[in-house]
């Protein structure tokens, strides 16, 4: 773990990991609060590092203090939240890199909205793997990235945490893009940085670049497309958002999140064009939410929102039918929402 001024959360992270690891290593990059004392009190070996505006350099310095076959990488605003069996000896054979994979844990982001989003990030690294990237750093290795059962909670997108990191993240992303202007992942992260801070107009141009530069088979392409649709809609660029949906539809037949975005867009269109809403637009909204339920939850899709394939779609259909005066369907989907939310 690398950390700086994380007294709010670091004990939670260390407590969640302690039963499942042999050693806790914290690399402190200049804390001025109680982070170091709390980490040491919770059993971590703490090392100091002079911050140099490079997250990969800090990650690698932390890894240099480990001689384990396998390293679990966490941030201080995260915690282990399930799927611990992925850390068992049988799941992580001896030999580190000779075992031939990097484990990608499911990260559940909380605090951006009322709903949690899923990301798959490499967090179980064999010995010898190191990072590259000034910000949103990634392991550099020919080893395959393998989704695993491990689940990690994250609340670093809560409003107070976002404010503290805003200027730093933008500056690092812009510096990284100056060095690698054709990196679609960095453009995506820059757009996302603006989007989660409520600035969709600023997010549009970076996300357009991300769509253009991200390979169709990239694991994060799903998240790029959804973020771009959202930014275009929130920036008032509805025709461009609808064109992107048409261009991408064939690529996402099993994404409830994509069809949820379609319903959202057509609802917005219906609010602008009430004369054609009932006959042309609202049937598309209804069909998109029904398609979400038909597909169901797809937790392995990077960037998916919990509930798009279940209770969120059912709840929206309940409200949809209620407003249309179709009471039996409204009651049916309201009951479905309660059942799916409780599951």
């Amino acid at each position: 773990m690398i950390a700086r001024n994380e007294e709010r959360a670091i004990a939670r992270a260390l407590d969640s990991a302690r039963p499942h690891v042999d050693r806790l290593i914290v690399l402190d990059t200049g804390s001025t609060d109680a982070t170091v004392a709390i980490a040491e009190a919770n059993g971590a070996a703490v090392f100091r590092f002079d911050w140099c505006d490079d997250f990969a350099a800090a990650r690698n310095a932390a890894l240099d203090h480990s001689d384990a076959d396998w390293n679990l990488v966490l941030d201080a605003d995260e915690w282990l939240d399930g799927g611990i069996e992925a850390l068992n000896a049988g799941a992580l054979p001896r030999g580190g890199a000779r075992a031939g994979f990097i484990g990608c844990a499911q990260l559940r982001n909380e605090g951006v909205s009322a709903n949690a989003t899923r990301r798959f990030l490499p967090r179980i690294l064999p010995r010898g793997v190191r990072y590259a990237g000034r910000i949103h750093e990634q392991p550099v290795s020919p080893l395959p990235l393998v989704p695993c059962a491990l689940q990690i909670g994250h609340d670093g997108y809560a409003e107070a945490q976002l404010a503290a990191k805003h200027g730093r993240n933008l500056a690092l992303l812009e510096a990284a893009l100056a060095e690698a202007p054709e990196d679609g992942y960095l453009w995506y992260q820059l757009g996302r940085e603006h989007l989660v801070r409520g600035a969709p107009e600023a997010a549009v141009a970076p996300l357009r670049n991300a769509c253009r530069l991200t390979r169709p088979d990239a694991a994060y392409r799903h998240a790029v497309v959804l973020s771009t649709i959202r930014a275009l809609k929130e920036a008032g660029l509805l025709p461009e958002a609808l064109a992107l949906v048409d261009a991408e539809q064939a690529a996402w037949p099993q994404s409830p999140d994509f069809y949820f975005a379609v319903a959202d867009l057509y609802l917005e269109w219906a609010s602008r064009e009430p004369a054609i809403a009932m006959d042309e637009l609202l049937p598309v909204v209804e069909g998109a939410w029904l398609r979400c339920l038909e597909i169901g939850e797809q937790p392995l899709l990077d960037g998916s929102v919990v509930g798009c394939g279940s209770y969120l779609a059912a709840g929206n259909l309940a409200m949809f039918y209620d407003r249309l005066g179709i009471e039996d369907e409204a009651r049916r989907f309201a009951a479905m929402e309660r059942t799916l939310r409780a599951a």
Side-chain angles (χ1 to χ4, degrees), residues 116-118 222-223 225-226 229 252 254-264 288 291-292 295-299 301-309 312:
T117 58
R118 307 178 181 99
H222 181 254
V225 170
L226 293 174
I229 293 170
W252 308 110
Q254 294 300 314
S255 167
D257 302 79
F258 181 82
Y259 284 95
F260 207 93
V262 169
D264 197 34
R291 178 62 181 152
C292 290
I295 296 170
E297 291 288 285
Q298 297 294 318
L301 276 175
D302 189 67
S304 63
V305 173
V306 177
C308 278
L312 291 178

PDB file of all heavy atoms in Angstrom, residues 116-118 222-223 225-226 229 252 254-264 288 291-292 295-299 301-309 312:
ATOM      1  N   ALA A 116     -23.465   1.520  -6.818  1.00  0.00           N
ATOM      2  CA  ALA A 116     -22.058   1.129  -6.885  1.00  0.00           C
ATOM      3  C   ALA A 116     -21.708   0.674  -8.297  1.00  0.00           C
ATOM      4  O   ALA A 116     -22.492  -0.010  -8.956  1.00  0.00           O
ATOM      5  CB  ALA A 116     -21.778   0.004  -5.893  1.00  0.00           C
ATOM      6  N   THR A 117     -20.518   1.061  -8.763  1.00  0.00           N
ATOM      7  CA  THR A 117     -20.019   0.595 -10.046  1.00  0.00           C
ATOM      8  C   THR A 117     -18.920  -0.429  -9.828  1.00  0.00           C
ATOM      9  O   THR A 117     -18.238  -0.427  -8.807  1.00  0.00           O
ATOM     10  CB  THR A 117     -19.465   1.753 -10.890  1.00  0.00           C
ATOM     11  OG1 THR A 117     -18.416   2.398 -10.164  1.00  0.00           O
ATOM     12  CG2 THR A 117     -20.550   2.761 -11.208  1.00  0.00           C
ATOM     13  N   ARG A 118     -18.766  -1.316 -10.828  1.00  0.00           N
ATOM     14  CA  ARG A 118     -17.773  -2.376 -10.731  1.00  0.00           C
ATOM     15  C   ARG A 118     -16.611  -2.079 -11.685  1.00  0.00           C
ATOM     16  O   ARG A 118     -16.823  -1.712 -12.830  1.00  0.00           O
ATOM     17  CB  ARG A 118     -18.369  -3.726 -11.115  1.00  0.00           C
ATOM     18  CG  ARG A 118     -19.645  -4.141 -10.388  1.00  0.00           C
ATOM     19  CD  ARG A 118     -20.101  -5.482 -10.930  1.00  0.00           C
ATOM     20  NE  ARG A 118     -21.323  -5.987 -10.334  1.00  0.00           N
ATOM     21  CZ  ARG A 118     -22.529  -5.877 -10.893  1.00  0.00           C
ATOM     22  NH1 ARG A 118     -22.666  -5.271 -12.058  1.00  0.00           N
ATOM     23  NH2 ARG A 118     -23.586  -6.384 -10.311  1.00  0.00           N
ATOM     24  N   HIS A 222     -15.977  -1.092 -22.516  1.00  0.00           N
ATOM     25  CA  HIS A 222     -17.353  -0.975 -22.027  1.00  0.00           C
ATOM     26  C   HIS A 222     -17.520   0.272 -21.183  1.00  0.00           C
ATOM     27  O   HIS A 222     -18.464   1.057 -21.372  1.00  0.00           O
ATOM     28  CB  HIS A 222     -17.696  -2.234 -21.224  1.00  0.00           C
ATOM     29  CG  HIS A 222     -19.086  -2.277 -20.682  1.00  0.00           C
ATOM     30  ND1 HIS A 222     -19.370  -2.085 -19.353  1.00  0.00           N
ATOM     31  CD2 HIS A 222     -20.274  -2.492 -21.295  1.00  0.00           C
ATOM     32  CE1 HIS A 222     -20.668  -2.194 -19.160  1.00  0.00           C
ATOM     33  NE2 HIS A 222     -21.251  -2.437 -20.310  1.00  0.00           N
ATOM     34  N   ALA A 223     -16.590   0.500 -20.251  1.00  0.00           N
ATOM     35  CA  ALA A 223     -16.662   1.673 -19.390  1.00  0.00           C
ATOM     36  C   ALA A 223     -16.474   2.959 -20.182  1.00  0.00           C
ATOM     37  O   ALA A 223     -17.112   3.979 -19.894  1.00  0.00           O
ATOM     38  CB  ALA A 223     -15.609   1.570 -18.280  1.00  0.00           C
ATOM     39  N   VAL A 225     -17.319   3.531 -23.353  1.00  0.00           N
ATOM     40  CA  VAL A 225     -18.538   3.820 -24.115  1.00  0.00           C
ATOM     41  C   VAL A 225     -19.626   4.376 -23.208  1.00  0.00           C
ATOM     42  O   VAL A 225     -20.282   5.381 -23.517  1.00  0.00           O
ATOM     43  CB  VAL A 225     -19.014   2.554 -24.855  1.00  0.00           C
ATOM     44  CG1 VAL A 225     -20.408   2.761 -25.454  1.00  0.00           C
ATOM     45  CG2 VAL A 225     -18.018   2.178 -25.941  1.00  0.00           C
ATOM     46  N   LEU A 226     -19.837   3.733 -22.056  1.00  0.00           N
ATOM     47  CA  LEU A 226     -20.884   4.193 -21.145  1.00  0.00           C
ATOM     48  C   LEU A 226     -20.591   5.589 -20.620  1.00  0.00           C
ATOM     49  O   LEU A 226     -21.499   6.430 -20.515  1.00  0.00           O
ATOM     50  CB  LEU A 226     -21.027   3.213 -19.980  1.00  0.00           C
ATOM     51  CG  LEU A 226     -21.558   1.826 -20.351  1.00  0.00           C
ATOM     52  CD1 LEU A 226     -21.514   0.908 -19.138  1.00  0.00           C
ATOM     53  CD2 LEU A 226     -22.974   1.914 -20.902  1.00  0.00           C
ATOM     54  N   ILE A 229     -21.346   8.132 -23.451  1.00  0.00           N
ATOM     55  CA  ILE A 229     -22.789   8.349 -23.609  1.00  0.00           C
ATOM     56  C   ILE A 229     -23.305   9.264 -22.495  1.00  0.00           C
ATOM     57  O   ILE A 229     -24.058  10.217 -22.756  1.00  0.00           O
ATOM     58  CB  ILE A 229     -23.543   6.997 -23.593  1.00  0.00           C
ATOM     59  CG1 ILE A 229     -23.183   6.166 -24.830  1.00  0.00           C
ATOM     60  CG2 ILE A 229     -25.055   7.224 -23.521  1.00  0.00           C
ATOM     61  CD1 ILE A 229     -23.698   4.739 -24.763  1.00  0.00           C
ATOM     62  N   TRP A 252     -22.584  -4.660 -27.828  1.00  0.00           N
ATOM     63  CA  TRP A 252     -22.958  -4.872 -26.431  1.00  0.00           C
ATOM     64  C   TRP A 252     -24.318  -5.555 -26.284  1.00  0.00           C
ATOM     65  O   TRP A 252     -25.175  -5.083 -25.523  1.00  0.00           O
ATOM     66  CB  TRP A 252     -22.959  -3.530 -25.683  1.00  0.00           C
ATOM     67  CG  TRP A 252     -21.675  -2.801 -25.863  1.00  0.00           C
ATOM     68  CD1 TRP A 252     -21.476  -1.648 -26.581  1.00  0.00           C
ATOM     69  CD2 TRP A 252     -20.395  -3.168 -25.355  1.00  0.00           C
ATOM     70  NE1 TRP A 252     -20.154  -1.281 -26.547  1.00  0.00           N
ATOM     71  CE2 TRP A 252     -19.467  -2.195 -25.802  1.00  0.00           C
ATOM     72  CE3 TRP A 252     -19.935  -4.219 -24.563  1.00  0.00           C
ATOM     73  CZ2 TRP A 252     -18.110  -2.256 -25.477  1.00  0.00           C
ATOM     74  CZ3 TRP A 252     -18.594  -4.287 -24.251  1.00  0.00           C
ATOM     75  CH2 TRP A 252     -17.701  -3.312 -24.702  1.00  0.00           C
ATOM     76  N   GLN A 254     -25.048  -8.125 -24.665  1.00  0.00           N
ATOM     77  CA  GLN A 254     -25.219  -8.709 -23.337  1.00  0.00           C
ATOM     78  C   GLN A 254     -24.825  -7.731 -22.225  1.00  0.00           C
ATOM     79  O   GLN A 254     -24.374  -8.146 -21.165  1.00  0.00           O
ATOM     80  CB  GLN A 254     -24.397  -9.998 -23.227  1.00  0.00           C
ATOM     81  CG  GLN A 254     -24.881 -11.109 -24.139  1.00  0.00           C
ATOM     82  CD  GLN A 254     -26.325 -11.507 -23.837  1.00  0.00           C
ATOM     83  OE1 GLN A 254     -26.690 -11.687 -22.680  1.00  0.00           O
ATOM     84  NE2 GLN A 254     -27.144 -11.650 -24.865  1.00  0.00           N
ATOM     85  N   SER A 255     -25.025  -6.454 -22.480  1.00  0.00           N
ATOM     86  CA  SER A 255     -24.733  -5.442 -21.462  1.00  0.00           C
ATOM     87  C   SER A 255     -26.015  -4.766 -21.001  1.00  0.00           C
ATOM     88  O   SER A 255     -26.587  -3.937 -21.734  1.00  0.00           O
ATOM     89  CB  SER A 255     -23.775  -4.381 -22.005  1.00  0.00           C
ATOM     90  OG  SER A 255     -23.745  -3.260 -21.121  1.00  0.00           O
ATOM     91  N   PRO A 256     -26.492  -5.059 -19.790  1.00  0.00           N
ATOM     92  CA  PRO A 256     -27.674  -4.335 -19.297  1.00  0.00           C
ATOM     93  C   PRO A 256     -27.387  -2.850 -19.128  1.00  0.00           C
ATOM     94  O   PRO A 256     -28.282  -2.018 -19.295  1.00  0.00           O
ATOM     95  CB  PRO A 256     -27.968  -5.017 -17.950  1.00  0.00           C
ATOM     96  CG  PRO A 256     -26.663  -5.606 -17.519  1.00  0.00           C
ATOM     97  CD  PRO A 256     -25.979  -6.025 -18.795  1.00  0.00           C
ATOM     98  N   ASP A 257     -26.148  -2.506 -18.829  1.00  0.00           N
ATOM     99  CA  ASP A 257     -25.787  -1.104 -18.655  1.00  0.00           C
ATOM    100  C   ASP A 257     -25.965  -0.325 -19.953  1.00  0.00           C
ATOM    101  O   ASP A 257     -26.393   0.834 -19.940  1.00  0.00           O
ATOM    102  CB  ASP A 257     -24.341  -0.989 -18.181  1.00  0.00           C
ATOM    103  CG  ASP A 257     -24.108  -1.731 -16.882  1.00  0.00           C
ATOM    104  OD1 ASP A 257     -23.974  -2.959 -16.926  1.00  0.00           O
ATOM    105  OD2 ASP A 257     -24.093  -1.082 -15.834  1.00  0.00           O
ATOM    106  N   PHE A 258     -25.630  -0.953 -21.077  1.00  0.00           N
ATOM    107  CA  PHE A 258     -25.795  -0.285 -22.362  1.00  0.00           C
ATOM    108  C   PHE A 258     -27.269  -0.008 -22.624  1.00  0.00           C
ATOM    109  O   PHE A 258     -27.646   1.108 -23.007  1.00  0.00           O
ATOM    110  CB  PHE A 258     -25.197  -1.138 -23.487  1.00  0.00           C
ATOM    111  CG  PHE A 258     -25.306  -0.506 -24.838  1.00  0.00           C
ATOM    112  CD1 PHE A 258     -24.383   0.441 -25.252  1.00  0.00           C
ATOM    113  CD2 PHE A 258     -26.350  -0.834 -25.698  1.00  0.00           C
ATOM    114  CE1 PHE A 258     -24.489   1.047 -26.498  1.00  0.00           C
ATOM    115  CE2 PHE A 258     -26.464  -0.237 -26.940  1.00  0.00           C
ATOM    116  CZ  PHE A 258     -25.524   0.711 -27.343  1.00  0.00           C
ATOM    117  N   TYR A 259     -28.117  -0.998 -22.409  1.00  0.00           N
ATOM    118  CA  TYR A 259     -29.545  -0.791 -22.654  1.00  0.00           C
ATOM    119  C   TYR A 259     -30.156   0.158 -21.632  1.00  0.00           C
ATOM    120  O   TYR A 259     -31.109   0.885 -21.947  1.00  0.00           O
ATOM    121  CB  TYR A 259     -30.266  -2.140 -22.691  1.00  0.00           C
ATOM    122  CG  TYR A 259     -30.012  -2.860 -23.992  1.00  0.00           C
ATOM    123  CD1 TYR A 259     -28.999  -3.806 -24.101  1.00  0.00           C
ATOM    124  CD2 TYR A 259     -30.769  -2.563 -25.128  1.00  0.00           C
ATOM    125  CE1 TYR A 259     -28.742  -4.438 -25.303  1.00  0.00           C
ATOM    126  CE2 TYR A 259     -30.518  -3.189 -26.337  1.00  0.00           C
ATOM    127  CZ  TYR A 259     -29.499  -4.124 -26.418  1.00  0.00           C
ATOM    128  OH  TYR A 259     -29.248  -4.720 -27.632  1.00  0.00           O
ATOM    129  N   PHE A 260     -29.625   0.187 -20.431  1.00  0.00           N
ATOM    130  CA  PHE A 260     -30.072   1.171 -19.447  1.00  0.00           C
ATOM    131  C   PHE A 260     -29.762   2.577 -19.952  1.00  0.00           C
ATOM    132  O   PHE A 260     -30.581   3.496 -19.821  1.00  0.00           O
ATOM    133  CB  PHE A 260     -29.376   0.907 -18.107  1.00  0.00           C
ATOM    134  CG  PHE A 260     -30.150   1.360 -16.913  1.00  0.00           C
ATOM    135  CD1 PHE A 260     -30.993   0.491 -16.233  1.00  0.00           C
ATOM    136  CD2 PHE A 260     -30.044   2.658 -16.453  1.00  0.00           C
ATOM    137  CE1 PHE A 260     -31.716   0.910 -15.127  1.00  0.00           C
ATOM    138  CE2 PHE A 260     -30.760   3.087 -15.347  1.00  0.00           C
ATOM    139  CZ  PHE A 260     -31.607   2.207 -14.673  1.00  0.00           C
ATOM    140  N   ALA A 261     -28.586   2.747 -20.543  1.00  0.00           N
ATOM    141  CA  ALA A 261     -28.221   4.046 -21.114  1.00  0.00           C
ATOM    142  C   ALA A 261     -29.119   4.401 -22.296  1.00  0.00           C
ATOM    143  O   ALA A 261     -29.490   5.574 -22.481  1.00  0.00           O
ATOM    144  CB  ALA A 261     -26.761   4.028 -21.553  1.00  0.00           C
ATOM    145  N   VAL A 262     -29.501   3.401 -23.102  1.00  0.00           N
ATOM    146  CA  VAL A 262     -30.421   3.644 -24.215  1.00  0.00           C
ATOM    147  C   VAL A 262     -31.751   4.180 -23.689  1.00  0.00           C
ATOM    148  O   VAL A 262     -32.297   5.174 -24.207  1.00  0.00           O
ATOM    149  CB  VAL A 262     -30.642   2.349 -25.024  1.00  0.00           C
ATOM    150  CG1 VAL A 262     -31.794   2.526 -26.022  1.00  0.00           C
ATOM    151  CG2 VAL A 262     -29.361   1.954 -25.756  1.00  0.00           C
ATOM    152  N   ALA A 263     -32.288   3.524 -22.654  1.00  0.00           N
ATOM    153  CA  ALA A 263     -33.555   3.980 -22.077  1.00  0.00           C
ATOM    154  C   ALA A 263     -33.439   5.409 -21.567  1.00  0.00           C
ATOM    155  O   ALA A 263     -34.343   6.234 -21.769  1.00  0.00           O
ATOM    156  CB  ALA A 263     -33.970   3.041 -20.952  1.00  0.00           C
ATOM    157  N   ASP A 264     -32.337   5.714 -20.924  1.00  0.00           N
ATOM    158  CA  ASP A 264     -32.124   7.054 -20.392  1.00  0.00           C
ATOM    159  C   ASP A 264     -32.112   8.099 -21.500  1.00  0.00           C
ATOM    160  O   ASP A 264     -32.711   9.179 -21.388  1.00  0.00           O
ATOM    161  CB  ASP A 264     -30.804   7.070 -19.610  1.00  0.00           C
ATOM    162  CG  ASP A 264     -30.693   8.258 -18.683  1.00  0.00           C
ATOM    163  OD1 ASP A 264     -31.711   8.695 -18.138  1.00  0.00           O
ATOM    164  OD2 ASP A 264     -29.562   8.759 -18.501  1.00  0.00           O
ATOM    165  N   ALA A 288     -36.039  -1.236 -23.800  1.00  0.00           N
ATOM    166  CA  ALA A 288     -34.659  -1.247 -23.301  1.00  0.00           C
ATOM    167  C   ALA A 288     -34.606  -1.734 -21.862  1.00  0.00           C
ATOM    168  O   ALA A 288     -33.735  -2.537 -21.497  1.00  0.00           O
ATOM    169  CB  ALA A 288     -34.057   0.143 -23.422  1.00  0.00           C
ATOM    170  N   ARG A 291     -35.203  -5.375 -21.802  1.00  0.00           N
ATOM    171  CA  ARG A 291     -33.992  -6.068 -22.251  1.00  0.00           C
ATOM    172  C   ARG A 291     -32.969  -6.166 -21.123  1.00  0.00           C
ATOM    173  O   ARG A 291     -32.290  -7.183 -20.981  1.00  0.00           O
ATOM    174  CB  ARG A 291     -33.403  -5.337 -23.454  1.00  0.00           C
ATOM    175  CG  ARG A 291     -32.109  -5.924 -23.979  1.00  0.00           C
ATOM    176  CD  ARG A 291     -32.272  -7.339 -24.473  1.00  0.00           C
ATOM    177  NE  ARG A 291     -30.996  -7.869 -24.956  1.00  0.00           N
ATOM    178  CZ  ARG A 291     -30.681  -9.151 -24.949  1.00  0.00           C
ATOM    179  NH1 ARG A 291     -31.537 -10.053 -24.489  1.00  0.00           N
ATOM    180  NH2 ARG A 291     -29.514  -9.546 -25.400  1.00  0.00           N
ATOM    181  N   CYS A 292     -32.870  -5.122 -20.298  1.00  0.00           N
ATOM    182  CA  CYS A 292     -31.972  -5.181 -19.140  1.00  0.00           C
ATOM    183  C   CYS A 292     -32.311  -6.373 -18.251  1.00  0.00           C
ATOM    184  O   CYS A 292     -31.416  -7.114 -17.814  1.00  0.00           O
ATOM    185  CB  CYS A 292     -32.092  -3.892 -18.314  1.00  0.00           C
ATOM    186  SG  CYS A 292     -31.430  -2.412 -19.089  1.00  0.00           S
ATOM    187  N   ILE A 295     -31.376  -9.723 -19.919  1.00  0.00           N
ATOM    188  CA  ILE A 295     -29.938 -10.015 -19.854  1.00  0.00           C
ATOM    189  C   ILE A 295     -29.542 -10.396 -18.437  1.00  0.00           C
ATOM    190  O   ILE A 295     -28.799 -11.346 -18.207  1.00  0.00           O
ATOM    191  CB  ILE A 295     -29.126  -8.796 -20.314  1.00  0.00           C
ATOM    192  CG1 ILE A 295     -29.397  -8.488 -21.788  1.00  0.00           C
ATOM    193  CG2 ILE A 295     -27.625  -9.030 -20.108  1.00  0.00           C
ATOM    194  CD1 ILE A 295     -28.829  -7.154 -22.247  1.00  0.00           C
ATOM    195  N   GLY A 296     -30.046  -9.663 -17.456  1.00  0.00           N
ATOM    196  CA  GLY A 296     -29.672  -9.897 -16.066  1.00  0.00           C
ATOM    197  C   GLY A 296     -28.362  -9.222 -15.703  1.00  0.00           C
ATOM    198  O   GLY A 296     -27.698  -8.589 -16.537  1.00  0.00           O
ATOM    199  N   GLU A 297     -27.962  -9.349 -14.463  1.00  0.00           N
ATOM    200  CA  GLU A 297     -26.715  -8.756 -13.987  1.00  0.00           C
ATOM    201  C   GLU A 297     -25.519  -9.398 -14.691  1.00  0.00           C
ATOM    202  O   GLU A 297     -25.486 -10.611 -14.896  1.00  0.00           O
ATOM    203  CB  GLU A 297     -26.572  -8.952 -12.474  1.00  0.00           C
ATOM    204  CG  GLU A 297     -27.558  -8.143 -11.644  1.00  0.00           C
ATOM    205  CD  GLU A 297     -27.223  -6.665 -11.665  1.00  0.00           C
ATOM    206  OE1 GLU A 297     -26.253  -6.257 -10.996  1.00  0.00           O
ATOM    207  OE2 GLU A 297     -27.938  -5.913 -12.349  1.00  0.00           O
ATOM    208  N   GLN A 298     -24.545  -8.570 -15.045  1.00  0.00           N
ATOM    209  CA  GLN A 298     -23.323  -9.042 -15.703  1.00  0.00           C
ATOM    210  C   GLN A 298     -22.121  -8.504 -14.929  1.00  0.00           C
ATOM    211  O   GLN A 298     -21.460  -7.546 -15.353  1.00  0.00           O
ATOM    212  CB  GLN A 298     -23.289  -8.578 -17.161  1.00  0.00           C
ATOM    213  CG  GLN A 298     -24.411  -9.130 -18.022  1.00  0.00           C
ATOM    214  CD  GLN A 298     -24.309 -10.626 -18.214  1.00  0.00           C
ATOM    215  OE1 GLN A 298     -23.233 -11.167 -18.429  1.00  0.00           O
ATOM    216  NE2 GLN A 298     -25.436 -11.320 -18.119  1.00  0.00           N
ATOM    217  N   PRO A 299     -21.819  -9.096 -13.786  1.00  0.00           N
ATOM    218  CA  PRO A 299     -20.795  -8.527 -12.901  1.00  0.00           C
ATOM    219  C   PRO A 299     -19.380  -8.553 -13.454  1.00  0.00           C
ATOM    220  O   PRO A 299     -18.505  -7.890 -12.899  1.00  0.00           O
ATOM    221  CB  PRO A 299     -20.910  -9.384 -11.637  1.00  0.00           C
ATOM    222  CG  PRO A 299     -21.535 -10.659 -12.093  1.00  0.00           C
ATOM    223  CD  PRO A 299     -22.458 -10.283 -13.203  1.00  0.00           C
ATOM    224  N   LEU A 301     -18.543  -7.379 -16.383  1.00  0.00           N
ATOM    225  CA  LEU A 301     -18.356  -6.260 -17.304  1.00  0.00           C
ATOM    226  C   LEU A 301     -17.736  -5.086 -16.560  1.00  0.00           C
ATOM    227  O   LEU A 301     -18.316  -4.556 -15.612  1.00  0.00           O
ATOM    228  CB  LEU A 301     -19.698  -5.831 -17.907  1.00  0.00           C
ATOM    229  CG  LEU A 301     -20.184  -6.598 -19.128  1.00  0.00           C
ATOM    230  CD1 LEU A 301     -21.572  -6.125 -19.524  1.00  0.00           C
ATOM    231  CD2 LEU A 301     -19.219  -6.459 -20.298  1.00  0.00           C
ATOM    232  N   ASP A 302     -16.567  -4.664 -17.007  1.00  0.00           N
ATOM    233  CA  ASP A 302     -15.893  -3.539 -16.375  1.00  0.00           C
ATOM    234  C   ASP A 302     -16.730  -2.273 -16.545  1.00  0.00           C
ATOM    235  O   ASP A 302     -17.188  -1.958 -17.643  1.00  0.00           O
ATOM    236  CB  ASP A 302     -14.519  -3.336 -17.014  1.00  0.00           C
ATOM    237  CG  ASP A 302     -13.680  -2.320 -16.262  1.00  0.00           C
ATOM    238  OD1 ASP A 302     -13.307  -2.600 -15.123  1.00  0.00           O
ATOM    239  OD2 ASP A 302     -13.415  -1.244 -16.818  1.00  0.00           O
ATOM    240  N   GLY A 303     -16.937  -1.556 -15.443  1.00  0.00           N
ATOM    241  CA  GLY A 303     -17.718  -0.333 -15.496  1.00  0.00           C
ATOM    242  C   GLY A 303     -19.209  -0.538 -15.337  1.00  0.00           C
ATOM    243  O   GLY A 303     -19.976   0.412 -15.464  1.00  0.00           O
ATOM    244  N   SER A 304     -19.641  -1.771 -15.046  1.00  0.00           N
ATOM    245  CA  SER A 304     -21.074  -2.024 -14.893  1.00  0.00           C
ATOM    246  C   SER A 304     -21.566  -1.474 -13.560  1.00  0.00           C
ATOM    247  O   SER A 304     -20.828  -1.406 -12.573  1.00  0.00           O
ATOM    248  CB  SER A 304     -21.368  -3.523 -14.995  1.00  0.00           C
ATOM    249  OG  SER A 304     -20.734  -4.241 -13.949  1.00  0.00           O
ATOM    250  N   VAL A 305     -22.830  -1.079 -13.540  1.00  0.00           N
ATOM    251  CA  VAL A 305     -23.461  -0.542 -12.337  1.00  0.00           C
ATOM    252  C   VAL A 305     -24.328  -1.620 -11.713  1.00  0.00           C
ATOM    253  O   VAL A 305     -25.142  -2.255 -12.392  1.00  0.00           O
ATOM    254  CB  VAL A 305     -24.312   0.696 -12.663  1.00  0.00           C
ATOM    255  CG1 VAL A 305     -25.106   1.165 -11.442  1.00  0.00           C
ATOM    256  CG2 VAL A 305     -23.425   1.829 -13.174  1.00  0.00           C
ATOM    257  N   VAL A 306     -24.150  -1.835 -10.423  1.00  0.00           N
ATOM    258  CA  VAL A 306     -24.935  -2.840  -9.714  1.00  0.00           C
ATOM    259  C   VAL A 306     -26.416  -2.479  -9.805  1.00  0.00           C
ATOM    260  O   VAL A 306     -26.817  -1.365  -9.462  1.00  0.00           O
ATOM    261  CB  VAL A 306     -24.495  -2.932  -8.245  1.00  0.00           C
ATOM    262  CG1 VAL A 306     -25.362  -3.940  -7.486  1.00  0.00           C
ATOM    263  CG2 VAL A 306     -23.026  -3.307  -8.151  1.00  0.00           C
ATOM    264  N   GLY A 307     -27.236  -3.407 -10.304  1.00  0.00           N
ATOM    265  CA  GLY A 307     -28.678  -3.206 -10.366  1.00  0.00           C
ATOM    266  C   GLY A 307     -29.228  -2.938 -11.751  1.00  0.00           C
ATOM    267  O   GLY A 307     -30.440  -3.036 -11.961  1.00  0.00           O
ATOM    268  N   CYS A 308     -28.359  -2.598 -12.730  1.00  0.00           N
ATOM    269  CA  CYS A 308     -28.872  -2.293 -14.069  1.00  0.00           C
ATOM    270  C   CYS A 308     -29.565  -3.497 -14.701  1.00  0.00           C
ATOM    271  O   CYS A 308     -30.491  -3.335 -15.501  1.00  0.00           O
ATOM    272  CB  CYS A 308     -27.749  -1.799 -14.980  1.00  0.00           C
ATOM    273  SG  CYS A 308     -27.374  -0.047 -14.778  1.00  0.00           S
ATOM    274  N   GLY A 309     -29.112  -4.684 -14.357  1.00  0.00           N
ATOM    275  CA  GLY A 309     -29.735  -5.886 -14.898  1.00  0.00           C
ATOM    276  C   GLY A 309     -30.749  -6.500 -13.971  1.00  0.00           C
ATOM    277  O   GLY A 309     -31.182  -7.634 -14.197  1.00  0.00           O
ATOM    278  N   LEU A 312     -32.804  -2.035 -10.520  1.00  0.00           N
ATOM    279  CA  LEU A 312     -32.937  -0.678 -11.053  1.00  0.00           C
ATOM    280  C   LEU A 312     -33.856  -0.659 -12.272  1.00  0.00           C
ATOM    281  O   LEU A 312     -34.709   0.228 -12.414  1.00  0.00           O
ATOM    282  CB  LEU A 312     -31.566  -0.112 -11.423  1.00  0.00           C
ATOM    283  CG  LEU A 312     -30.619   0.192 -10.266  1.00  0.00           C
ATOM    284  CD1 LEU A 312     -29.279   0.695 -10.803  1.00  0.00           C
ATOM    285  CD2 LEU A 312     -31.220   1.212  -9.305  1.00  0.00           C
TER     286      LEU A 312
END
